[in-house]
């Protein structure tokens, strides 16, 4: 696992957008897994700016979802399909045909989960998967004590996660669904390059447990330690509880530029 400490969220967004641009230059039709929430917005904004300037050609890129609420219609403004279309697909100038995600309104949710897992494999697998992290260490919606071998499946949200997400529903927790479809930890680990971005002091404890703690289902993000090419990008606030912060800074500073992240 590589840990990169950046000054702030904007710098993290620029760094990761640059990595995506480098991937698209090597593989123009790369499948990019995207996360929702406020944390990855600087990535999408920086990447869209690079596309507008002509620095990055994303015209053949493919986009896939990490997770989706169960029970919200596809057209609901806070369904993750709507969010990804609004924040990623449209700003990058892509068509809806370039986008794939699980069907959270399916009558048979379990079948929809299995179908999405298969669709990712049929598409050739995820080349780069963006991740955020919850204050309890969850990635996707794999809450604490999720199986580290789990596949795409339905999960029940913890009360804390529903409270955290109420801000997207006019701060009305009653509107936040209780269930989601999420890529499992095992599914996420099949991506060729997972990149986790964490910003803010509120994520510092979860980051420290993810990076320096033992691999444990109680901290789902710690499973990234098992991946041969996982990157964790954190701002100074989110890095504040890392015991090896100085080492991480030194190793990244000495890294050859051609290696990227």
């Amino acid at each position: 696992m590589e840990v990169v400490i950046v000054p702030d969220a904007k710098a993290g967004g620029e760094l990761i957008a640059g990595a995506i641009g480098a991937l698209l230059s090597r593989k123009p039709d790369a499948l990019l897994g995207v996360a929702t929430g406020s944390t990855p917005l600087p990535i999408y904004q920086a990447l869209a700016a690079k596309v507008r300037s002509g620095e990055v050609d994303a015209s053949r890129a493919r986009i896939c979802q990490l997770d989706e609420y169960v029970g919200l219609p596809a057209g609901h403004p806070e369904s993750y399909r709507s969010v990804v279309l609004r924040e990623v697909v449209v700003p990058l100038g892509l068509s809806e045909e370039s986008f794939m995600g699980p069907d959270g309104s399916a009558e048979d949710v379990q079948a929809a989960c299995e179908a999405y897992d298969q669709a990712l494999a049929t598409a050739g697998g995820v080349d780069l998967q963006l991740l955020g992290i919850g204050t309890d260490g969850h990635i996707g919606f794999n809450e604490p004590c999720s199986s580290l071998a789990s596949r795409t499946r339905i999960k029940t949200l913890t009360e804390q996660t529903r409270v955290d997400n109420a801000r997207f529903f006019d701060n009305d927790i009653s509107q936040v669904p209780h269930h989601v479809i999420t890529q499992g930890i095992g599914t996420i680990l099949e991506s060729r390059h997972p990149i986790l971005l964490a910003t803010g002091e509120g994520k510092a404890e979860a980051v420290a447990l993810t990076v320096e703690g033992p691999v444990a289902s109680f901290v789902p993000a710690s499973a990234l330690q098992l991946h041969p090419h996982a990157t964790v990008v954190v701002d100074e606030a989110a890095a504040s509880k890392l015991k090896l912060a100085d080492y991480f800074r030194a190793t990244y500073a000495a890294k050859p530029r051609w290696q990227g992240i």
Side-chain angles (χ1 to χ4, degrees), residues 14-255:
E14 287 286 347
L15 181 69
I16 297 171
I20 295 172
L23 170 62
L24 292 174
S25 69
R26 300 191 305 270
K27 187 176 182 180
D29 64 344
L31 181 58
L32 307 176
V34 297
T36 54
S38 55
T39 299
L41 288 178
I43 304 171
Y44 307 143
Q45 292 163 357
L47 184 59
K50 291 178 185 296
V51 169
R52 289 193 301 270
S53 70
E55 181 180 344
V56 171
D57 180 2
S59 61
R60 294 172 57 193
R62 297 171 294 155
I63 306 295
C64 64
Q65 276 178 256
L66 180 61
D67 39 40
E68 181 58 277
Y69 286 117
V70 170
L72 292 185
H76 190 287
E78 293 307 324
S79 74
Y80 286 144
R81 181 179 185 86
S82 294
V83 173
V84 171
L85 287 172
R86 185 168 65 241
E87 296 179 351
V88 184
V89 175
V90 171
L92 295 183
L94 301 175
S95 67
E96 199 164 339
E97 287 68 38
S98 68
F99 170 67
M100 59 190 294
D103 185 359
S105 59
E107 185 174 335
D108 187 338
V109 178
Q110 182 56 41
C113 294
E114 294 170 3
Y116 188 53
D117 229 41
Q118 183 57 53
L120 293 175
T122 301
V126 179
D127 292 294
L128 187 152
Q129 177 64 59
L130 298 175
L131 300 165
I133 186 171
T135 54
D136 59 3
H138 74 254
I139 49 175
F141 277 115
N142 296 285
E143 301 283 14
C145 294
S146 292
S147 166
L148 302 187
S150 54
R151 311 300 306 177
T152 299
R153 69 213 190 284
I154 185 171
K155 289 289 290 182
T156 301
L157 297 180
T158 64
E159 191 67 9
Q160 183 59 56
T161 297
R162 294 183 68 238
V163 168
D164 290 345
N165 286 6
R167 67 188 189 277
F168 300 113
F169 292 83
D170 297 323
N171 291 313
D172 182 359
I173 193 172
S174 69
Q175 297 184 42
V176 183
H178 286 269
H179 298 95
V180 290
I181 292 175
T182 183
Q183 285 187 36
I185 297 173
T187 309
I188 291 169
L189 292 179
E190 288 180 353
S191 63
R192 295 179 181 87
H193 187 189
I195 301 179
L196 186 152
L197 175 63
T199 57
E201 188 176 357
K203 301 296 179 69
E205 182 69 22
V207 166
L209 291 172
T210 293
V211 172
E212 298 175 340
V215 175
S217 63
F218 190 70
V219 184
S222 67
L224 293 175
Q225 294 181 35
L226 302 173
H227 197 284
H229 186 202
T231 304
V232 175
V233 179
V234 291
D235 68 0
E236 290 289 349
S240 61
K241 294 189 177 182
L242 289 173
K243 296 177 181 177
L244 297 176
D246 288 343
Y247 172 73
F248 296 138
R249 292 188 183 95
T251 54
Y252 186 68
K255 186 176 182 178

